Amino acid sequence: MAREKSRAFALRVVKSCQYLQSEKQEYVLSKQLLRSGTAIGALVREAEYAESRADFVHKMHVALKEANETDYWIDLLSASGYFHPDSGKSLQADCRQLLRILIAIIKTTKSRR
């Protein structure tokens, strides 16, 4: 589930950044959003081949940190008027859902030790 959700979210982030750059001529914050928003899925994929349970938890925790940073950039872009309110809220809702999924995965994995 995390794999599919993080990939779909990354695609939304890519399209959002394309919009920000082409329509709003915003390049600095959108690059931050692009970097952190696409890193989540990459880290989830990397965790699939973790060397140990501890390595898996570590990679998922880094993905969680990237998701939290992404939430910040979305909030900042929304508050500054770069995103239409509905678009920003929708993207943020998806990001927060990913945060909840990653937290659940980390907690479940840690409890199985």
Side-chain angles (χ1 to χ4, degrees), residues 12-13 15-33 72-91:
R12 281 198 70 193
V13 166
K15 290 177 183 178
S16 296
C17 290
Q18 287 172 336
Y19 162 78
L20 289 168
Q21 292 175 3
S22 66
E23 300 297 320
K24 299 287 188 172
Q25 284 72 49
E26 198 303 305
Y27 302 99
V28 176
L29 299 177
S30 62
K31 284 186 181 181
Q32 294 284 23
L33 175 64
Y72 171 77
W73 294 122
I74 295 167
D75 182 54
L76 194 61
L77 285 158
S78 296
S80 60
Y82 282 109
F83 280 137
H84 182 277
D86 292 338
S87 298
K89 285 179 185 176
S90 174
L91 192 60

Side-chain angles (χ1 to χ4, degrees), residues 12-77:
R12 281 198 70 193
V13 166
V14 168
K15 290 177 183 178
S16 296
C17 290
Q18 287 172 336
Y19 162 78
L20 289 168
Q21 292 175 3
S22 66
E23 300 297 320
K24 299 287 188 172
Q25 284 72 49
E26 198 303 305
Y27 302 99
V28 176
L29 299 177
S30 62
K31 284 186 181 181
Q32 294 284 23
L33 175 64
L34 182 65
R35 186 204 52 76
S36 64
T38 56
I40 302 164
L43 286 157
V44 168
R45 291 284 295 266
E46 189 177 339
E48 290 176 5
Y49 291 95
E51 295 174 11
S52 64
R53 187 175 298 219
D55 187 37
F56 176 84
V57 170
H58 173 73
K59 286 175 179 19
M60 285 299 197
H61 195 77
V62 175
L64 177 65
K65 289 169 63 174
E66 292 292 339
N68 188 51
E69 181 182 339
T70 301
D71 185 57
Y72 171 77
W73 294 122
I74 295 167
D75 182 54
L76 194 61
L77 285 158

